[in-house]
Amino acid sequence: MDATGLQHRSNSYRASIYLVLLVFISNILHGGHVVSSAVFLSKRGHLSTLSSSSTVYSQTQSLQELYVATNGANWQWKNTTVYGSIWNFSSPVVDPCGDHWQGVNCTCSSMCSIVGLQLRAYNLVGSLPSSIGNISTLEYLDLSNNKLTSTIPKTLSRATDLFALSLAYNRLTGTLPQELTTLHRLSEL
């Protein structure tokens, strides 16, 4: 085997060791259990992770898609002492519920689920991603007073416990999706 092959094998071995250490450390830091962990090895050999220790992983992914689709880097965050932490997808363990992210309300037993998003006047700019419907445990969603465009995603109908939906004072177009009529608990619109 030539020097390049040995270097590649060494980097792969090192990445595997880092992965094992990352999972081991994460287990120690979070009470011996990790719900989900996605680890990526970049072209330069650096490890990147998106983990969720107590929050349902697909819900964390949906928050990240909302953040990206609505220009999250330019959101107007509130006082962190009063309103909670700024969303952070670059930390080793991404946990919106455990880290008390601003605008994210959860209910927890053995797992945490997101039951509310209150991002009123946070300067969300762009369109709502269809993945917002993957937060199927939502009970209330307040994204009013932003600059949201496009239409309301019909996938929001997956949030079968949704009782309050506020999208006022945005730049949304179109009509309410017919699929939202299946939300029998929806009483505030």
Side-chain angles (χ1 to χ4, degrees), residues 15 17 26 30 35-36 50 54 58 79 94 98 102 104 115 121 137 146 150 177:
I17 295 294
S26 187
H30 297 284
V35 172
S36 182
L50 177 61
S54 66
S58 64
N79 180 318
V94 178
Q102 284 190 33
V104 177
V115 294
T137 53
N146 286 293
S150 193

Side-chain angles (χ1 to χ4, degrees), residues 6 19 24 53 56 76 90 139 159 165 177 179:
L6 285 174
L19 175 60
F24 178 73
S53 65
V56 175
Q76 294 176 348
S90 63
E139 295 176 7
L165 175 62
E179 289 80 1

Side-chain angles (χ1 to χ4, degrees), residues 150-161:
S150 193
T151 59
I152 299 170
K154 60 184 175 185
T155 56
L156 199 52
S157 64
R158 295 182 198 148
T160 56
D161 290 329

Side-chain angles (χ1 to χ4, degrees), residues 88-164:
N88 182 0
F89 295 99
S90 63
S91 65
V93 177
V94 178
D95 188 1
C97 295
D99 292 338
H100 307 287
W101 283 6
Q102 284 190 33
V104 177
N105 297 301
C106 303
T107 184
C108 300
S109 53
S110 61
M111 285 287 286
C112 291
S113 295
I114 298 169
V115 294
L117 284 178
Q118 292 179 294
L119 297 170
R120 178 186 174 103
Y122 270 74
N123 195 39
L124 279 68
V125 178
S127 58
L128 285 173
S130 62
S131 61
I132 193 79
N134 294 340
I135 309 175
S136 60
T137 53
L138 273 179
E139 295 176 7
Y140 53 93
L141 177 62
D142 184 354
L143 302 178
S144 61
N145 292 59
N146 286 293
K147 297 172 186 148
L148 297 172
T149 57
S150 193
T151 59
I152 299 170
K154 60 184 175 185
T155 56
L156 199 52
S157 64
R158 295 182 198 148
T160 56
D161 290 329
L162 192 68
F163 67 83

